[in-house]
Amino acid sequence: MPTSTYADTEQDLVQRLRGRDEAAMALFYDRYALSLFHVIHRLVRHQAAAEDVLQESMIKIWFAFAQYNPARGRLYTWALNVCRHAAIDHMRVQRGRRERTDSLHESLEAHLLSIPGFQTEHIGVADWPGQLRPHYQCVLDLLYFGGCTQEEAAETLGWPLGTVKTRARQALKELAGRLQEA
């Protein structure tokens, strides 16, 4: 004899979830979590990340259940789309973190420290970016100190992407020229 007084059909499960029945959410999790996890894992390719995305998705499903429309598809299909979108969002965030650039100070320091016996404070390299033209400074500030990608810097400054790339390249050339002179 089943322990639940509710029928285990999808339609009953939907009604119970609409009524914010936590036991129904536990049943939903038991039925679909493993399958949803495998789909998420195929996208994010990391066990811990897939587990995190699954938990976030379950929370989204719980709070956004009022948006589910049975006339548009099965419960599993809707939940699968929620999980797939959450996994894609997770991958975009991770990719965005990888695309962030190092700070100018860290990049210059790493380069200069690779030269044996070189001490940046002896020649005032740290002051050089401040001596550049203002439009070079603002690009370098966003790209290296602000950690923006070139696209984000272009959007922030309201400049075309090509202008940002050109000015960043020219600023770095100018800094490199100063380094060679020193």
Side-chain angles (χ1 to χ4, degrees):
M1 176 148 215
T3 59
S4 174
T5 59
Y6 296 99
D8 288 334
T9 66
E10 184 173 295
Q11 187 177 31
D12 289 334
L13 182 59
V14 168
Q15 291 305 317
R16 290 175 58 197
L17 287 169
R18 284 201 194 285
R20 311 293 289 162
D21 181 351
E22 291 179 14
M25 188 63 188
L27 178 62
F28 173 84
Y29 186 89
D30 290 342
R31 275 192 191 171
Y32 301 119
L34 185 60
S35 176
L36 295 171
F37 173 79
H38 288 298
V39 171
I40 293 167
H41 190 266
R42 275 191 292 187
L43 291 170
V44 300
R45 300 181 188 261
H46 295 286
Q47 179 82 18
E51 290 170 359
D52 289 345
V53 170
L54 177 63
Q55 292 307 313
E56 290 171 16
S57 298
M58 288 297 168
I59 292 169
K60 285 180 184 179
I61 289 168
W62 176 252
F63 286 111
F65 197 78
Q67 296 173 2
Y68 170 63
N69 181 356
R72 295 186 66 201
R74 293 189 52 227
L75 177 60
Y76 175 78
T77 306
W78 177 76
L80 179 66
N81 282 325
V82 170
C83 292
R84 190 173 54 82
H85 289 293
I88 291 169
D89 289 345
H90 174 81
M91 292 184 320
R92 286 180 180 152
V93 167
Q94 295 306 311
R95 186 175 1 143
R97 286 183 182 155
R98 285 190 303 272
E99 289 176 357
R100 299 271 182 204
T101 57
D102 294 334
S103 73
L104 178 60
H105 181 70
E106 290 170 356
S107 298
L108 257 172
E109 188 175 338
H111 173 69
L112 295 174
L113 290 177
S114 67
I115 302 169
F118 186 81
Q119 299 294 322
T120 58
E121 60 269 14
H122 293 166
I123 61 169
V125 170
D127 298 330
W128 289 354
Q131 297 170 1
L132 294 172
R133 291 181 238 168
H135 58 274
Y136 289 169
Q137 284 180 23
C138 64
V139 169
L140 291 182
D141 282 344
L142 287 172
L143 294 177
Y144 295 99
F145 296 116
C148 293
T149 62
Q150 291 177 333
E151 291 84 5
E152 292 168 336
E155 186 177 313
T156 300
L157 295 169
W159 295 348
L161 179 59
T163 302
V164 169
K165 290 181 177 185
T166 300
R167 289 185 178 170
R169 186 174 49 251
Q170 289 171 338
L172 292 175
K173 272 184 174 178
E174 193 172 315
L175 289 173
R178 290 181 185 195
L179 179 62
Q180 286 177 349
E181 291 170 6

